[in-house]
Amino acid sequence: MVSYSSQRFRVLFFGTAAIALISAQAQTASVTRPRIAVETITGSQSLRDGIEIQAGTASLRIIALRDDILRVRVAPGGALPEDASWAVLAGPRSKSVDVQPSGDAASVGFHTASLDVRVERTPLRLVVRDLDGSIISADAVGRATTFFQLGGFSVYKNMPTDEHYFGLGDKTGSFDRRNQAYTLWNTDIGFQESVDPIYKSIPFFMGINGGRSYGLFLDNTWRTWFDFGKQSRDSYSFGAEGGPLDYYLLYGPSPKQVVEGYAYLTGTPQLPPLWALGFQQSRYSYTPESKVREIAARLRTDKIPSDVLYLDIDYQYKNRPFTVDPNTFPNFPALVSDLRKQHFHLVTITDLHIAHAPGQGYAPYDSGAAGDHFVKNPDGSEFIGVVWPGRAVFPDFTRAGTRDWWGGLYKKFVQDGVAGFWNDMNEPSVFDGPGKTMPLNSVHRIAEAGFVTRTATHAEIHNIVGLENARATYEGLLKLRPDERPFVLTRATFAGGQRYGLTWTGDNSATWNHLRLATQMLLNLGLSGISFVGDDVGGFGSSPAPDLLTRWVEVGAFNPFYRDHAAKGTLPHEVWVHGPEQEAIRRRYVETRYRLLPYIYTLADEASRTGIPIMRPVFLEFPEVLAPSSSGFDGLDTEFLLGSSLLIAPPPFAETLDDYTVSFPKGQWYDFWTGLKTATPPPTPSIVDIVTGTPGSSFPAPSRIHPVLDTLPVYVRGGSILPLQPLIQSTDEIPIGPLELRIYPGQECAGSLYLDDGHTFRYQHGEFLRQTFTCESDRNSVRVNFGTRQGSYTPWWKTVEVVIYDWPSTQADATLSNNTLQLKTSYDAPRHALHILMPDSAKETELRVRTY
């Protein structure tokens, strides 16, 4: 069922195709509520790229943007609303493909090279199949024929028994969204495990059923909702309280293809500076200046690799954005300069509110008021709400001119050498506002290319304030430093936010439950288009126990964004707290992060080109783990992949001492720490297996591991080739020694490497290094092919140390295809690893190794 409402009408498409139109004036009981029910298609017209359908006074248009992407738009009064979007790129939205019309007595529709699209006549019902005839997505059937709810629309889809749902960004609750319901309304709240809504609104999800996957993106900025069977066991639904009914259906069939399709629509993430992938230390707040210097000195003295320090709001004068308190930071430019000499990048917070301080010499307010850049009350006066500086006004980021003004406010900080900026409180948060935000009738003015110039209420704009705030910061930094990649960290965002920077999960808590929850939240953010994500390591609110902080530092080392952050009033939780034993464990994982940077940066490049996230749910690489026939894979919401090669398997309940079983996807796996092959355990028998088994039969017991604090289980997929580098203390440091290339023999053995200068846009003009590797092996030999390098960037290494795991002998001959000289080898017997040192080469070459 589909229903629709604009500011004037509401239209409903039910499983029985009833359509009801109601005047928005009928909001009081004293007004007669007209209703129009339509149970059949009253007209249709084939289009070059789709079909347009009339259903009474309503119209439905379905367009094929690509063979595997459909756009569905519904209007109650015949005319479709303005074709504009804050999320979907103009290029993809304007493109389409030719289709083949189809139809019969029961339906009208069309075919693409991938999809069979049909709209059944009676009852009106959209059904999308693949070309084999399997249903991908279908409107629900058998529902009530009438349902009225003023001010919004609802869409009901069939929900197969074995279908799973993921996405919607970093929502709390279960990893699989099935049987859950959610509201999308950006909200500043210290969340707990079942709190909803929270900071972000990304109305996109992925459905997976057997071997078929699809995505659905609702392009609507109003308060929206998604119900995956909480209300009805056989259908899921979504809707909004206002705005257009405009959604996209993306076909896979694989989950990766769905993610790539969503990136096609909303954009891929920008490649961040390399230092943004290093370890980052923060607190609310490091103040005064001497405290910042103390933290920097301790990180370097204790040799904890790190790249970034943060300043939270206390560095500002009276908490006013774009100021520095001269009492606590008397020589701010010198501090920034000294930190850079220690190889630290400084990131400062700039909340989106501006102190309402007329006549006080506060330039951001004075210039903003002069330019008429602030959100209005309905009477045309400036809206004023209370936030950290007290009474504050709020930039109207739906105006291109306002975004340009905002970006210019960073000029002095950029001149001082501040490396990046942190946009917080941008839901927007208003301490004394209704629902802790602006009144819904606050007035925004849309003045943006691709949009009709008009006013809009905050009810329409609220969910994109954080998106456009981050956009204003990103674009402003591009103008101020045209050849430097901006670093923007935002708390609130909307679909497409990946185009403007990184995000984190907001104000979490120092609990074991939140450590578990973080993995699910980051995975769903990655599936929702945002690859560069993290959480507050150790928990923002309250103080973590020593073991909790250590385990969080371990897991965080394998997350895309790696920042330790804490709230005011909590105990310190820098890496060195809790004594030398805990510090040593934590340092080891930070060091591992830095040794893996060549691999992680290669994944960052892949994400920037394809939208495939760095941190991945297991099913993104192994969809079969969700198949109904799959059994024994129990790690779906606790285990995750870093890229396609590393499986991270933290204890599901690390606060206990219980043994647990790691669930391995198909294939061979190696222990990352030892290099040894793992013995894949048999699947855990289900209760059905046990009950239906032959009396007296026994099942092989799966191998279990005992969690120990100093070891986070990490495994490497057989067939992987991993690049690692010598240990460095910051990304400013040039590694000394060879590039290490670890070979884990297995099926489809391959790997890749990407490198550039790490901070400019010169890579867009060919100054990069990209190389692929493949390998073939048998019992007595391995052949590693080094592909010809692309790009003109010169690497830091002169030699390559190839490490081949699962090598059967201490003896080996190693030669290169372009050189008959035998290479030097050594053997690590405990790890069954053969080490080969070879000269670097940009040309295609093959390393041949055999036992004798």
Side-chain angles (χ1 to χ4, degrees):
M1 180 188 77
V2 177
S3 66
Y4 178 89
S5 173
S6 67
Q7 292 182 349
R8 188 176 178 193
F9 291 109
R10 174 172 179 78
V11 57
L12 301 165
F13 294 78
F14 295 90
T16 56
I19 302 176
L21 300 172
I22 302 178
S23 169
Q25 296 175 351
Q27 295 189 21
T28 64
S30 61
V31 177
T32 302
R33 300 183 177 186
R35 186 177 97 184
I36 300 175
V38 180
E39 297 184 331
T40 187
I41 294 175
T42 57
S44 65
Q45 178 182 358
S46 293
L47 306 174
R48 175 193 64 82
D49 51 7
I51 191 168
E52 189 165 284
I53 293 170
Q54 290 73 49
T57 61
S59 64
L60 169 67
R61 181 179 293 173
I62 307 172
I63 299 297
L65 303 189
R66 295 192 329 196
D67 289 323
D68 56 352
I69 299 179
L70 305 176
R71 184 182 184 188
V72 181
R73 302 174 71 196
V74 181
L80 292 171
E82 175 188 6
D83 187 3
S85 177
W86 300 100
V88 179
L89 299 172
R93 206 173 68 250
S94 63
K95 294 178 181 178
S96 60
V97 297
D98 292 344
V99 302
Q100 295 295 321
S102 64
D104 52 32
S107 66
V108 294
F110 59 86
H111 295 275
T112 75
S114 302
L115 300 173
D116 174 14
V117 181
R118 302 183 191 182
V119 181
E120 297 175 355
R121 297 178 183 273
T122 305
L124 193 154
R125 180 170 175 257
L126 172 62
V127 181
V128 180
R129 296 177 173 85
D130 63 21
L131 298 187
D132 292 331
S134 299
I135 292 178
I136 298 165
S137 172
D139 288 350
V141 295
R143 299 192 59 82
T145 57
T146 58
F147 173 26
F148 302 101
Q149 180 181 345
L150 293 174
F153 61 80
S154 301
V155 180
Y156 287 81
K157 298 283 187 181
N158 186 50
M159 188 173 70
T161 303
D162 296 323
E163 195 156 279
H164 304 270
Y165 304 98
F166 305 92
L168 300 185
D170 53 345
K171 290 294 190 180
T172 59
S174 62
F175 180 42
D176 187 343
R177 306 308 192 193
R178 191 180 180 97
N179 298 322
Q180 305 295 314
Y182 303 90
T183 300
L184 273 63
W185 183 252
N186 292 357
T187 304
D188 174 13
I189 188 168
F191 66 91
Q192 294 302 324
E193 291 87 332
S194 58
V195 169
D196 185 70
I198 53 175
Y199 306 101
K200 302 171 189 67
S201 296
I202 306 178
F204 168 77
F205 69 87
M206 177 188 300
I208 303 177
N209 185 5
R212 292 179 297 277
S213 305
Y214 69 92
L216 195 150
F217 170 53
L218 173 63
D219 193 4
N220 183 295
T221 64
W222 295 64
R223 186 185 186 101
T224 56
W225 55 270
F226 290 78
D227 185 329
F228 297 97
K230 196 174 183 70
Q231 180 184 33
S232 173
R233 70 179 62 186
D234 58 0
S235 65
Y236 69 79
S237 54
F238 58 90
E241 65 180 17
L245 176 49
D246 185 354
Y247 70 93
Y248 297 80
L249 192 69
L250 304 85
Y251 178 51
S254 74
K256 268 191 178 180
Q257 290 171 302
V258 173
V259 172
E260 289 177 316
Y262 179 69
Y264 169 78
L265 290 178
T266 63
T268 56
Q270 301 295 328
L271 182 64
L274 176 61
W275 57 262
L277 301 176
F279 180 68
Q280 311 186 26
Q281 186 63 57
S282 181
R283 183 174 177 82
Y284 174 32
S285 286
Y286 289 135
T287 187
E289 178 181 314
S290 59
K291 186 64 176 179
V292 182
R293 294 181 181 275
E294 175 191 327
I295 295 295
R298 183 67 184 269
L299 285 165
R300 293 294 177 237
T301 299
D302 284 18
K303 294 190 179 301
I304 299 165
S306 47
D307 269 272
V308 187
L309 290 174
Y310 283 75
L311 295 183
D312 211 316
I313 61 173
D314 289 330
Y315 81 96
Q316 301 170 141
Y317 177 68
K318 295 184 177 180
N319 288 336
R320 294 178 178 181
F322 301 102
T323 67
V324 176
D325 188 337
N327 298 311
T328 52
F329 290 84
N331 196 343
F332 185 74
L335 171 65
V336 180
S337 177
D338 290 345
L339 290 175
R340 280 302 295 130
K341 292 174 184 175
Q342 295 175 278
H343 305 293
F344 286 107
H345 296 80
L346 185 66
V347 173
T348 60
I349 199 169
T350 48
D351 293 342
L352 87 165
H353 45 258
I354 298 293
H356 184 258
Q360 299 180 36
Y362 177 45
Y365 176 78
D366 293 341
S367 62
D372 195 24
H373 291 305
F374 301 129
V375 175
K376 307 292 187 181
N377 290 311
D379 64 3
S381 61
E382 292 175 345
F383 167 73
I384 299 174
V386 175
V387 209
W388 294 119
R391 287 165 57 82
V393 291
F394 298 80
D396 194 355
F397 291 110
T398 54
R399 303 173 73 233
T402 297
R403 295 197 304 274
D404 188 60
W405 160 80
W406 172 271
L409 295 176
Y410 289 98
K411 183 176 181 179
K412 180 62 168 63
F413 285 91
V414 168
Q415 290 175 341
D416 288 342
V418 176
F421 299 92
W422 171 17
N423 292 157
D424 201 2
M425 307 293 290
N426 54 356
E427 290 70 34
S429 179
V430 182
F431 294 161
D432 64 340
K436 206 176 178 182
T437 193
M438 296 180 190
L440 298 185
N441 63 352
S442 300
V443 179
H444 298 259
R445 292 155 291 164
I446 298 176
E448 169 72 8
F451 286 78
V452 173
T453 300
R454 62 181 175 89
T455 60
T457 65
H458 190 66
E460 176 183 351
I461 301 303
H462 174 87
N463 278 342
I464 62 166
V465 170
L467 170 75
E468 294 304 300
N469 174 207
R471 176 185 179 184
T473 304
Y474 184 89
E475 292 176 347
L477 295 179
L478 277 179
K479 292 180 180 179
L480 293 169
R481 286 190 294 227
D483 198 34
E484 288 290 321
R485 299 175 217 170
F487 175 89
V488 180
L489 179 65
T490 184
R491 187 170 71 179
T493 195
F494 187 72
Q498 64 271 12
R499 303 194 296 262
Y500 308 119
L502 298 80
T503 191
W504 88 108
T505 59
D507 295 348
N508 59 357
S509 299
T511 68
W512 291 100
N513 280 345
H514 272 237
L515 173 57
R516 276 188 293 275
L517 183 62
T519 291
Q520 302 172 17
M521 296 175 77
L522 298 182
L523 290 175
N524 271 315
L525 273 168
L527 292 175
S528 304
I530 306 183
S531 294
F532 299 103
V533 295
D535 63 342
D536 285 341
V537 169
F540 176 74
S542 64
S543 304
D547 287 3
L548 173 58
L549 178 57
T550 296
R551 187 63 83 185
W552 216 318
V553 169
E554 292 174 357
V555 175
F558 299 93
N559 295 163
F561 174 58
Y562 192 22
R563 182 181 74 155
D564 182 337
H565 184 52
K568 183 177 288 188
T570 63
L571 296 175
H573 60 70
E574 290 77 26
V575 175
W576 52 81
V577 301
H578 306 132
E581 182 178 348
Q582 296 280 4
E583 180 182 6
I585 299 172
R586 298 165 188 167
R587 183 191 297 108
R588 176 185 172 218
Y589 282 84
V590 178
E591 291 175 345
T592 298
R593 168 70 167 221
Y594 276 76
R595 293 213 61 208
L596 280 169
L597 277 179
Y599 175 65
I600 296 171
Y601 198 52
T602 300
L603 296 175
D605 167 64
E606 180 185 12
S608 72
R609 292 182 292 106
T610 68
I612 299 299
I614 294 173
M615 180 178 172
R616 306 171 186 177
V618 174
F619 67 74
L620 200 64
E621 296 290 336
F622 301 93
E624 64 274 8
V625 302
L626 289 176
S629 59
S630 176
S631 63
F633 193 89
D634 298 323
L636 191 66
D637 55 356
T638 57
E639 299 177 14
F640 63 92
L641 294 164
L642 186 64
S644 62
S645 295
L646 293 181
L647 175 70
I648 293 84
F653 298 97
E655 66 270 40
T656 71
L657 299 178
D658 297 337
D659 293 354
Y660 71 102
T661 302
V662 174
S663 291
F664 289 101
K666 68 178 181 181
Q668 181 61 61
W669 294 86
Y670 295 76
D671 188 301
F672 174 76
W673 307 112
T674 67
L676 300 179
K677 274 186 176 181
T678 61
T680 304
T684 304
S686 69
I687 188 66
V688 175
D689 294 331
I690 295 172
V691 171
T692 59
T694 304
S697 63
S698 61
F699 298 92
S703 59
R704 297 174 68 82
I705 61 174
H706 184 72
V708 292
L709 184 62
D710 64 353
T711 302
L712 173 68
V714 179
Y715 303 93
V716 188
R717 183 183 189 174
S720 297
I721 302 178
L722 292 184
L724 285 83
Q725 67 184 17
L727 180 62
I728 54 177
Q729 292 300 305
S730 80
T731 57
D732 285 344
E733 183 180 340
I734 298 175
I736 298 175
L739 173 74
E740 183 177 338
L741 209 61
R742 295 186 177 182
I743 313 292
Y744 299 87
Q747 294 183 348
E748 300 178 359
C749 183
S752 62
L753 176 63
Y754 176 83
L755 187 67
D756 58 30
D757 66 19
H759 65 100
T760 75
F761 288 99
R762 293 169 200 160
Y763 71 93
Q764 296 179 350
H765 305 286
E767 292 188 33
F768 64 87
L769 181 157
R770 182 176 290 116
Q771 188 170 22
T772 59
F773 315 99
T774 60
C775 75
E776 297 178 357
S777 60
D778 54 36
R779 293 184 60 184
N780 299 311
S781 67
V782 171
R783 295 170 302 284
V784 183
N785 180 267
F786 293 73
T788 301
R789 282 188 189 146
Q790 299 175 353
S792 62
Y793 189 75
T794 302
W796 49 262
W797 62 89
K798 302 298 182 183
T799 57
V800 177
E801 183 177 5
V802 176
V803 184
I804 302 175
Y805 289 94
D806 196 34
W807 188 254
S809 171
T810 60
Q811 299 175 326
D813 278 332
T815 58
L816 294 175
S817 57
N818 58 359
N819 193 326
T820 59
L821 293 178
Q822 189 168 341
L823 299 173
K824 181 181 179 181
T825 66
S826 61
Y827 189 65
D828 182 345
R831 289 174 170 77
H832 299 174
L834 181 70
H835 293 246
I836 307 159
L837 193 64
M838 58 176 279
D840 182 49
S841 175
K843 299 180 180 179
E844 182 175 6
T845 187
E846 185 176 73
L847 171 64
R848 301 167 181 170
V849 189
R850 64 182 180 86
T851 61
Y852 62 90

